[in-house]
Amino acid sequence: MKEILLFEIKENIRSRWVFIYSGLLVLVMMILSFFGDQNGIRLLISTMNLTLIVIPLFSITFSGMSFLESMPFAEVLLSKSVSRSALFFGKYFGITISLSIGLLFGLGIPGLYLFMNDPKFLFLFFELMILGIFLTAIFVAIAFLISSFIRRGEIVLTVSLLVWLYFFIFFDALVFIFSLYLGDYPIEVPSLIIILLNPIDLIRILLILQTSSSALLGFSGALLLKQLGLLGVLGISILFLSLWVSIPLIVSFKRFQKRNF
């Protein structure tokens, strides 16, 4: 698996998509810095919003297409006595590490420069970087899950974009509508369960809870905080983020084991 992982990292760097990813993050960070609000908390929130948009979108589309395009080469490797588990997890960790490197260079270096004078915001920025890597691992796993069931590239790309739109745009609206129309019933527990099914919302809540901008949490975040409290939110969010990585990865691996090339 080590050889496949290293090969995957080299191939991703050679394809220059990692550099494009880093360059896009650097460009937007420069725009936020020079043309945006210089207030520390607002700059951090803007950086967080950038992270929650770009990382899932790039991770799920790039990983899904990369998985499909590598299948002919994967067939050759499997014929050379490479195990399916080594191939699958080598590719998964290779893509995740490649995108994480792009994130660290594209977002980490400009962010370190912008927040280095304020220890509080610098700590929150480092936390954002760690959660950004977590988010990368989640959406790479989801991309592998999609690609393990669909073999046509254009359909994989379409489904990936729909999944991203659901998590980023439609999710809070669905929670709000659900609570609005069923507000006369005891729906707190079902609402919390629904909220925990969105990794983007969980990361947004984890970060904003540690700032003075709790009003930005939105309906789902406010409900979660009210029911669980800060420590409860931290614990259950980390648990569900871990499940968001492991469950899609396990299902897609089992599907890959049965794949007929």
Side-chain angles (χ1 to χ4, degrees), residues 28-258:
V28 180
M29 283 293 289
M30 290 175 61
I31 294 174
L32 290 177
S33 174
F34 291 106
F35 300 102
D37 197 319
Q38 296 298 318
N39 179 277
I41 183 61
R42 293 180 183 177
L43 182 59
L44 181 65
I45 295 298
S46 298
T47 304
M48 180 199 68
N49 289 329
L50 160 70
T51 303
L52 297 182
I53 293 173
V54 175
I55 292 178
L57 177 60
F58 193 89
S59 297
I60 196 170
T61 53
F62 174 80
S63 304
M65 298 307 296
S66 177
F67 183 88
L68 278 185
E69 291 173 358
S70 68
M71 285 303 100
F73 182 60
E75 186 176 0
V76 175
L77 290 178
L78 291 173
S79 67
K80 302 294 183 180
S81 72
V82 176
S83 68
R84 294 201 177 203
S85 60
L87 178 61
F88 181 87
F89 289 106
K91 186 166 185 64
Y92 171 77
F93 288 112
I95 293 177
T96 302
I97 292 173
S98 300
L99 294 179
S100 298
I101 292 172
L103 174 65
L104 291 174
F105 278 95
L107 196 66
I109 294 176
L112 181 63
Y113 172 77
L114 292 173
F115 295 107
M116 63 185 304
N117 294 324
D118 193 322
K120 177 184 177 181
F121 292 128
L122 184 61
F123 173 79
L124 289 175
F125 177 75
F126 281 140
E127 188 174 342
L128 173 62
M129 295 298 300
I130 294 172
L131 292 173
I133 294 173
F134 219 141
L135 196 62
T136 300
I138 290 171
F139 277 87
V140 173
I142 294 174
F144 274 42
L145 178 62
I146 295 171
S147 300
S148 65
F149 285 91
I150 303 173
R151 299 195 179 192
R152 295 181 59 182
E154 62 274 15
I155 300 179
V156 168
L157 185 60
T158 302
V159 173
S160 298
L161 291 173
L162 289 175
V163 170
W164 175 77
L165 285 171
Y166 163 74
F167 282 130
F168 188 75
I169 296 176
F170 299 135
F171 181 82
D172 259 355
L174 292 175
V175 174
F176 179 75
I177 292 172
F178 174 76
S179 302
L180 181 66
Y181 284 96
L182 299 177
D184 295 332
Y185 301 93
I187 60 169
E188 287 79 6
V189 173
S191 297
L192 290 177
I193 294 174
I194 294 173
I195 292 168
L196 294 172
L197 299 179
N198 186 347
I200 295 178
D201 236 15
L202 286 178
I203 289 177
R204 177 164 57 91
I205 291 168
L206 278 175
L207 288 169
I208 296 180
L209 278 177
Q210 301 172 66
T211 71
S212 58
S213 302
S214 57
L216 298 174
L217 282 174
F219 178 81
S220 58
L223 180 61
L224 190 63
L225 179 61
K226 178 182 177 182
Q227 296 296 323
L228 299 178
L230 179 57
L231 293 179
V233 171
L234 289 173
I236 201 167
S237 296
I238 292 173
L239 172 62
F240 270 79
L241 288 174
S242 301
L243 292 175
W244 268 110
V245 175
S246 57
I247 293 177
L249 197 60
I250 291 172
V251 174
S252 56
F253 174 63
K254 290 185 178 297
R255 179 75 177 181
F256 181 75
Q257 284 183 311
K258 299 177 181 178

